[in-house]
Amino acid sequence: MTRGEGACLVCGEPLIYFEEAKELECQICHKTFHAYSSCKNGHYVCDQCHEKKGIQVILDGCRQSSSKNPIAIMQQLMEDPYIYMHGPEHHILVGAALLTACHNCGAAMDFPAALEEMKERGSRYPGGSCGLWGCCGAAVSVGMFISIFTKATPLTGKSWGCANQATARALAAIGALGGPRCCKRNSFTAVKEAAAFVKETFGIEMELPDAIRCDFSHENQQCLKTRCPYYQGASETFV
C-alpha cells in the first residue's frame, strides 16, 4: 500500500486534478461520482472508500489517548499506514485530536458522542476543497470542533460566532503559507491556531510542543521544504 504523494490506492500512480468535474466510477465501491481527480490510468477512489479505514484508526486512537497535546495526538495517528499523506481523513483528524486534548484537559463534554459527531460532520467535507472551494478541510475541522464543543447551531449566538471565527483564523494561517496543498502542513497549522483560540476564548490551555517537526516530507513530491515552517531544519517555534 502506498501512502505517499496523494497516490492512487489502486496502482500507486500520482493523482491528476481536473479543473472541471468528470463522471467517474469508484474502483472500490463502484458507485459513480462527480470527481475532480484520478490517476493517469483513470483510477478513481471516492472519499468514503479512501477514508474508511483511516477514520477507524482516528476514532480508536483518540478514545485510547490520555494526551493533552493535539499535535502529539495527530503525529502518532499520522504514522498509521491508513492515514495517507493527503486525504479527507484529515478533515476528521484535526477536530478529533482537538476534542481529545480538550477532554483530557478537563473540558466538560460527552466525549464519545463528540467523537462520533466529529466523524459524521468531517466525513461530509469533500477532499480537494482546499483548492476547488478555497476553504481547506483542516480549517473547517477546527470550526466543527468548536461547534461541537460549544453546541453551536445555525440559531445560536456566541457559539455560532466562535465557530466561524476559529475557522477563519485557521484558514488565514493556512492561506498565508501558500500552496500547493499539504494535508500535514495544513493540519499542524490549523491545530496550532485552534489551540491558541481555545486558550484565549475559553481559558483551556492544551499542551503544545516547542516546535513542530514534520516526518513526512519524503512522501510529498510538492513539499515546500525550507518554505514550510515544519520542515526538518526550519526554525519555526512557538512564542
Side-chain angles (χ1 to χ4, degrees):
M1 177 173 51
T2 303
R3 282 171 43 116
E5 180 22 46
C8 175
L9 299 190
V10 178
C11 67
E13 290 290 336
L15 297 184
I16 300 168
Y17 287 88
F18 320 131
E19 293 181 0
E20 297 180 355
K22 298 181 180 181
E23 291 284 333
L24 294 177
E25 178 183 308
C26 174
Q27 295 292 308
I28 296 177
C29 68
H30 301 293
K31 296 178 183 177
T32 301
F33 297 85
H34 291 287
Y36 286 90
S37 67
S38 73
C39 73
K40 69 177 185 180
N41 295 318
H43 299 137
Y44 166 72
V45 176
C46 71
D47 283 356
Q48 290 77 16
C49 291
H50 189 287
E51 69 188 6
K52 183 177 180 180
K53 292 183 178 179
I55 290 174
Q56 197 58 52
V57 167
I58 293 166
L59 296 180
D60 289 346
C62 286
R63 290 184 187 119
Q64 297 167 12
S65 178
S66 60
S67 175
K68 299 177 181 178
N69 185 328
I71 296 291
I73 293 169
M74 284 203 310
Q75 287 177 317
Q76 181 176 3
L77 292 171
M78 286 172 176
E79 293 293 338
D80 190 278
Y82 287 112
I83 306 298
Y84 302 110
M85 179 64 221
H86 308 293
E89 57 270 24
H90 294 82
H91 304 168
I92 298 168
L93 176 61
V94 167
L98 288 163
L99 283 170
T100 303
C102 257
H103 169 69
N104 292 337
C105 285
M109 69 175 79
D110 183 341
F111 181 56
L115 278 183
E116 285 298 318
E117 187 62 24
M118 188 66 236
K119 170 190 172 182
E120 175 67 19
R121 298 186 193 187
S123 295
R124 297 182 184 185
Y125 201 75
S129 294
C130 52
L132 298 170
W133 290 6
C135 195
C136 177
V140 175
S141 192
V142 168
M144 293 175 186
F145 151 65
I146 294 292
S147 175
I148 294 167
F149 175 54
T150 63
K151 302 185 185 306
T153 76
L155 299 180
T156 55
K158 182 178 180 181
S159 59
W160 183 96
C162 285
N164 282 274
Q165 289 168 358
T167 301
R169 179 165 173 168
L171 190 60
I174 288 169
L177 292 174
R181 61 85 175 90
C182 173
C183 288
K184 302 300 189 279
R185 180 187 73 231
N186 294 352
S187 295
F188 292 146
T189 302
V191 166
K192 243 184 8 176
E193 295 298 324
F197 182 87
V198 168
K199 180 181 178 181
E200 295 163 10
T201 308
F202 305 109
I204 299 170
E205 186 169 4
M206 291 178 266
E207 296 176 359
L208 291 173
D210 292 332
I212 301 171
R213 292 291 172 258
C214 179
D215 294 325
F216 302 96
S217 59
H218 64 286
E219 298 183 22
N220 183 6
Q221 291 184 18
Q222 285 89 39
C223 177
L224 297 180
K225 307 233 180 253
T226 56
R227 292 189 291 117
C228 174
Y230 316 119
Y231 186 68
Q232 294 287 351
S235 59
E236 185 269 353
T237 57
F238 291 112
V239 294

